[in-house]
Amino acid sequence: MAKDSGRKLVAANRKARHDYTIEDVFEAGVMLTGTEVKALRLGRASLVDGWCEIEAGEAWLHGVHIPEYAQGTWTNHAPRRKRKLLLHRDEIDRLAAKTREKGQTIVPLALYFLDGRAKVEIALARGKKDWDKRQALRERQDNMESQRAMRERRDR
């Protein structure tokens, strides 16, 4: 049996890009149990309440909801358990140093399978204030309006 090739998205945290300014992005492996992998292959997960922490030199993913596998027995997993992230030592050290700064945090952006292996895309991020969010929405809306006007002008 051949492994799946390419990237198969399971869950994305679109709200994170609205709530945070993304500064740096990392790809990490995730240590999962068998029933978690099966539940993810069904495309069921939620990253909305997720965050990452560096504890004792290891990266951990907290608050990510992977529902129980329907055909699982007593071996089923806890839906919101903390999961270890697999990163290189220099990446963990860099993340730990950056998160000590005020306002910096690590948030998960996407959970996906890459060539059959579960991966999570995490980002070093800085929280936005309400006025930052409004400004970003206004800029995006202005860009859409200008693109629409140019397209209408070009179609004449």
Side-chain angles (χ1 to χ4, degrees), residues 132-148:
D132 285 334
K133 295 176 192 178
R134 285 192 297 270
Q135 183 69 23
L137 282 171
R138 194 173 304 117
E139 285 175 10
R140 191 168 68 227
Q141 188 175 8
D142 290 345
N143 285 338
M144 285 177 19
E145 288 175 4
S146 66
Q147 292 292 329
R148 189 177 304 123

Side-chain angles (χ1 to χ4, degrees), residues 3-8 113-117:
K3 282 190 176 181
D4 298 334
S5 62
R7 181 174 160 157
K8 181 186 171 222
F113 284 101
L114 183 66
D115 297 331
R117 298 183 189 272

Side-chain angles (χ1 to χ4, degrees), residues 16-35:
R17 294 193 186 274
H18 176 72
D19 292 340
Y20 298 97
T21 302
I22 307 301
E23 295 182 0
D24 203 1
V25 178
F26 298 89
E27 180 182 70
V30 189
M31 286 184 66
L32 300 172
T33 63
T35 55

Side-chain angles (χ1 to χ4, degrees), residues 16 20-24 103-107 109 123-127:
Y20 298 97
T21 302
I22 307 301
E23 295 182 0
D24 203 1
Q104 295 274 9
T105 188
I106 309 169
V107 293
L109 297 179
L124 185 64
R126 184 177 299 277

